[in-house]
Amino acid sequence: QVQLVESGGGLVQAGGSLSVSCAASGLTFSSYAMGWFRQALGKEREFVAAINWSGGRTYYADSVKGRFTISRGNAKNTVYLQMNSLKPEDTAVYYCAAKYGFGETTDSAYSYWGQGTQVTVSS
């Protein structure tokens, strides 16, 4: 059975940095694109970043471009999201997701989801 387990969330001051990771099991990780989505309280879930199966192509939401970096380690079955210059509006539960093949920015394209990790940015 497929499991995605996020870790690394927490509380950080505005302007700071935080890294979250997602460990995958139960799938052939190197065949799957991975995505990060987030959902703030009272808002809909939104796309943050995605990376193709090989790591050769990445996608970012305009709101995080230049501040966040997605990467993956296929040997460790793990995807990472490095978040710099954090803003209070980045506060949300961050979810990782997996889909076979190429990366997508639409959450409905993803087959598997983690349980989420809270990221809180204080002003």
Side-chain angles (χ1 to χ4, degrees):
Q1 118 209 23
V2 176
Q3 279 193 315
L4 303 177
V5 180
E6 299 96 336
S7 61
L11 173 65
V12 64
Q13 287 190 331
S17 298
L18 199 62
S19 179
V20 291
S21 60
C22 171
S25 60
L27 51 71
T28 304
F29 185 73
S30 58
S31 297
Y32 281 74
M34 301 297 296
W36 284 98
F37 293 79
R38 67 187 182 187
Q39 187 167 20
L41 197 62
K43 295 188 177 181
E44 293 192 351
R45 185 166 57 193
E46 64 175 0
F47 169 75
V48 175
I51 187 166
N52 271 357
W53 59 272
S54 67
R57 183 167 181 180
T58 56
Y59 313 75
Y60 294 96
D62 288 343
S63 60
V64 307
K65 205 171 291 184
R67 300 188 298 122
F68 290 13
T69 302
I70 188 171
S71 61
R72 65 188 296 158
N74 284 353
K76 294 188 176 182
N77 286 9
T78 301
V79 62
Y80 308 94
L81 185 68
Q82 176 65 42
M83 302 179 287
N84 299 329
S85 302
L86 282 160
K87 305 175 181 179
E89 51 263 43
D90 294 318
T91 295
V93 177
Y94 283 70
Y95 299 91
C96 73
K99 70 171 295 290
Y100 187 81
F102 295 98
E104 297 273 356
T105 62
T106 305
D107 58 0
S108 59
Y110 288 79
S111 302
Y112 305 106
W113 291 83
Q115 83 289 348
T117 186
Q118 176 71 45
V119 172
T120 303
V121 184
S122 63
S123 56

